[in-house]
Amino acid sequence: MSNPSFRPLIVFSIPVLILLVLAFPPVWTTMTGDVIKIKTAPVDPTDLFRGSYIALKYEIESVKPSQVDDSIKTGFNERNMGDYKKVYVRLKQNTDGLYVVDYVTKEKPTKGVYLKGELEIPYELQNAATIQIRYGLDNYFASEEKAKEMEKDALANPSVAVVKVRNGNVVLTDIIIE
């Protein structure tokens, strides 16, 4: 490192390496992940400020407290309500071929299909009917024409998200409107 001509190369290569490290999990999941389908809840149409995308909500984002592992529930007292806690959500396939929540745990499952998520600690733990989990699959970007068409169709018909999953990482690849 005594040669000063390498210093700019090192300085400029660090941000590039950081971007490559951040991009690797989604790219690897897209290339090698298992394809599963998840039912979406009603679709919210485009946002005037952010362009042509469709905001999505999934049925797997709302889980019953009985599906959450007790070790997570005991951790609710140690954190502030409204904070997020990293969890793993094990999915199982139902008779329609769609994936639904089996259980939520803080330990990474050793087998099966699971997603990484962030569980929102509920404000009223005693009376909570559901607990919310975020997966980072909230937006599906499409061309302006396709987004408007999907908006119109999705409001009248149920939709299904096609995602690729690998080691808890998930990438949204398509929306199918029935």
Side-chain angles (χ1 to χ4, degrees), residues 119-154:
L119 181 141
E120 182 180 9
I121 298 174
Y123 286 99
E124 291 186 36
L125 181 60
Q126 303 300 328
N127 300 325
T130 61
I131 298 174
Q132 300 299 312
I133 299 177
R134 300 187 311 189
Y135 301 99
L137 296 170
D138 301 339
N139 299 325
Y140 180 74
F141 290 90
S143 66
E144 189 172 339
E145 297 83 28
K146 186 176 179 181
K148 286 182 180 180
E149 182 180 323
M150 290 177 75
E151 167 192 344
K152 194 182 306 177
D153 293 343

Side-chain angles (χ1 to χ4, degrees), residues 33-37 99 162-165 173:
D34 297 326
V35 176
I36 67 169
K37 294 179 181 176
Y99 281 80
V162 179
V163 298
K164 286 198 168 188
V165 178
T173 58

Side-chain angles (χ1 to χ4, degrees), residues 68-78 85 87 104-107:
V68 178
D69 189 51
D70 289 337
S71 63
I72 296 173
K73 292 178 190 174
T74 57
F76 287 172
N77 296 331
E78 301 166 1
K85 180 173 182 59
V87 294
V104 180
T105 180
K106 67 179 182 181
E107 303 297 327

Side-chain angles (χ1 to χ4, degrees), residues 25-105:
V27 170
W28 185 250
T29 301
T30 302
M31 292 173 56
T32 63
D34 297 326
V35 176
I36 67 169
K37 294 179 181 176
I38 303 169
K39 187 172 184 179
T40 62
V43 176
D44 186 20
T46 58
D47 184 339
L48 294 175
F49 298 105
R50 298 199 320 184
S52 299
Y53 77 95
I54 299 171
L56 299 169
K57 181 164 177 60
Y58 301 91
E59 287 188 353
I60 63 170
E61 289 180 325
S62 297
V63 299
K64 297 174 188 168
S66 61
Q67 294 174 305
V68 178
D69 189 51
D70 289 337
S71 63
I72 296 173
K73 292 178 190 174
T74 57
F76 287 172
N77 296 331
E78 301 166 1
R79 293 179 161 246
N80 295 326
M81 294 177 189
D83 284 350
Y84 288 90
K85 180 173 182 59
K86 181 181 171 185
V87 294
Y88 293 94
V89 179
R90 174 91 190 257
L91 301 176
K92 63 180 178 182
Q93 193 171 20
N94 66 13
T95 56
D96 297 333
L98 302 174
Y99 281 80
V100 295
V101 174
D102 187 14
Y103 64 89
V104 180
T105 180

